[in-house]
Amino acid sequence: MLGAKPLLFVVGLAISCSYIVQFATAHSTDPSEVNALRAIRLNLIDPFGNLNSWRSGDPCTSNWTGIICESTTNDTYLHVHELLLLNYNLSGALAPELGLLSRLKILDFMWNNISGSIPKEIGSIKSLKLILLNGNQLSGSLPEEIGFLPNLNRIQIDENQISGTIPKSFANLKSLRSICDHMNNNSLSGQIPPELSGLSSALHLLLDNNNLSGYLPPELSQMPSLHILSIGNCSLQELYQIPECNTSTYLPVRIQVSVFAVVRGEKL
C-alpha cells in the first residue's frame, strides 16, 4: 500500500504530460479545413479586402479574420470552431465546402450581401450550435438537412429572400437549451407545420412577413417555453385557432390582429 501513492502520482503525471505535449503539437489547422476555407473564400467577393489575411499562412496560427480555433485531445490538429464574418460587406455565395468544417460550432455571415442558396452540406456539421445568416440576399429553399443538426439551438435567416415551405424536419431541433427560430421577412410559403409544436424549448418563432398560408396550427399553443410567436403580414386563415385562455391545456396567449404576434403571459 505504501507504494500505491507514488505509482498514482507517476500515472497522473504521465497523463498530464501527454495532454500538454498533444496540445503543444497542435500547431496547424486540419488540412481538410484549410482546403474548405480556401474554397469558401473563392466563392466570396470581398471589395474592401477584409479577408486579405486569408491569402497566406495557416488559418488558426496566422489569425485569419473571423476564424477562431481550438485544439482537441483526439488528434494533433487545430480545428475551426467559429466562423465569424458578420458585416464585412461580403457578396458572392456560400460554398458547399462549409460542410467540411466538421468541428464548427458558430456559423455567422450576418449583414452581408451574400446571395444564392443555403448549402445543404451545412446539415452535416453535427457540432453546429448557431446558424446566423440574417440580413443577406439568400434565396432558394431551406435545406431539410438543417433539421437534423442535434446541437443546433439558434437559427437566424430573417431579412433574406428564402422561398419554399418550412421543412418538417425542423421539428427535430430539440436543443437542450433554447431555440430561437428567426425566419421572418422572407418569401416562405405553404402551411406552418404542426410538427413545430414539438420544439419544447423554443423561445421565439418569428414567421411574420412571409407568404405563409393555410391555418394556424392550434398545437403551437402547447409549446411550453414559447414566449413570442409572430405571424404578421402572412395569408393565414383561422387566426384564432390559438385561443386566449387560462386553462392548464393552453398557455395564456393573446393575438393582436394588426400585428398577429402571440406573446406568452402578456397583453399586447
Side-chain angles (χ1 to χ4, degrees):
M1 293 298 294
L2 292 176
K5 289 184 179 180
L7 179 61
L8 289 174
F9 174 77
V10 171
V11 172
L13 181 61
I15 293 174
S16 299
C17 290
S18 174
Y19 178 79
I20 292 171
V21 169
Q22 191 172 42
F23 183 83
T25 56
H27 58 273
S28 62
T29 308
D30 186 307
S32 65
E33 297 180 26
V34 176
N35 291 334
L37 290 170
R38 287 172 177 163
I40 292 166
R41 174 65 185 88
L42 287 174
N43 278 266
L44 295 172
I45 299 171
D46 178 26
F48 297 103
N50 289 309
L51 302 184
N52 284 345
S53 60
W54 288 39
R55 294 179 177 177
S56 61
D58 182 88
C60 294
T61 61
S62 299
N63 296 319
W64 282 18
T65 299
I67 302 294
I68 295 179
C69 303
E70 293 182 13
S71 61
T72 61
T73 57
N74 54 5
D75 66 26
T76 59
Y77 289 114
L78 295 167
H79 296 279
V80 179
H81 279 215
E82 299 180 22
L83 183 55
L84 309 177
L85 297 178
L86 68 159
N87 201 21
Y88 276 136
N89 293 292
L90 301 173
S91 56
L94 298 177
E97 285 82 0
L98 280 166
L100 297 177
L101 301 177
S102 59
R103 311 293 180 92
L104 195 66
K105 294 180 180 179
I106 301 176
L107 176 63
D108 186 353
F109 279 93
M110 290 193 298
W111 307 115
N112 285 288
N113 298 301
I114 297 170
S115 56
S117 60
I118 299 175
K120 65 179 181 179
E121 289 80 4
I122 288 177
S124 66
I125 311 174
K126 302 305 180 184
S127 57
L128 203 55
K129 293 184 177 182
L130 303 180
I131 297 178
L132 308 174
L133 301 175
N134 48 302
N136 282 284
Q137 299 177 29
L138 294 167
S139 58
S141 58
L142 289 171
E144 290 266 353
E145 290 80 359
I146 289 178
F148 299 103
L149 293 172
N151 295 299
L152 191 67
N153 60 50
R154 189 179 185 93
I155 177 171
Q156 292 184 192
I157 57 167
D158 47 297
E159 303 285 349
N160 278 289
Q161 302 167 21
I162 296 170
S163 58
T165 59
I166 300 172
K168 291 183 180 180
S169 65
F170 277 35
N172 297 314
L173 298 175
K174 298 176 181 179
S175 170
L176 293 176
R177 295 187 178 180
S178 63
I179 301 173
C180 296
D181 292 318
H182 292 232
M183 295 184 276
N184 50 310
N185 294 289
N186 279 287
S187 298
L188 294 169
S189 59
Q191 172 67 47
I192 298 175
E195 292 84 354
L196 293 183
S197 63
L199 298 175
S200 58
S201 59
L203 297 175
H204 303 158
L205 188 54
L206 307 183
L207 302 172
D208 53 283
N209 293 294
N210 278 289
N211 298 319
L212 298 168
S213 58
Y215 67 94
L216 184 61
E219 294 90 343
L220 299 184
S221 66
Q222 301 180 42
M223 298 171 69
S225 301
L226 190 65
H227 284 267
I228 298 177
L229 168 61
S230 183
I231 50 175
N233 293 323
C234 293
S235 300
L236 295 170
Q237 303 297 318
E238 302 179 34
L239 288 171
Y240 294 96
Q241 286 289 329
I242 293 184
E244 178 187 350
C245 58
N246 293 295
T247 68
S248 60
T249 304
Y250 293 98
L251 296 174
V253 297
R254 180 178 291 272
I255 299 176
Q256 185 179 32
V257 177
S258 60
V259 179
F260 301 150
V262 180
V263 179
R264 185 183 182 213
E266 297 181 7
K267 293 184 178 182
L268 298 180

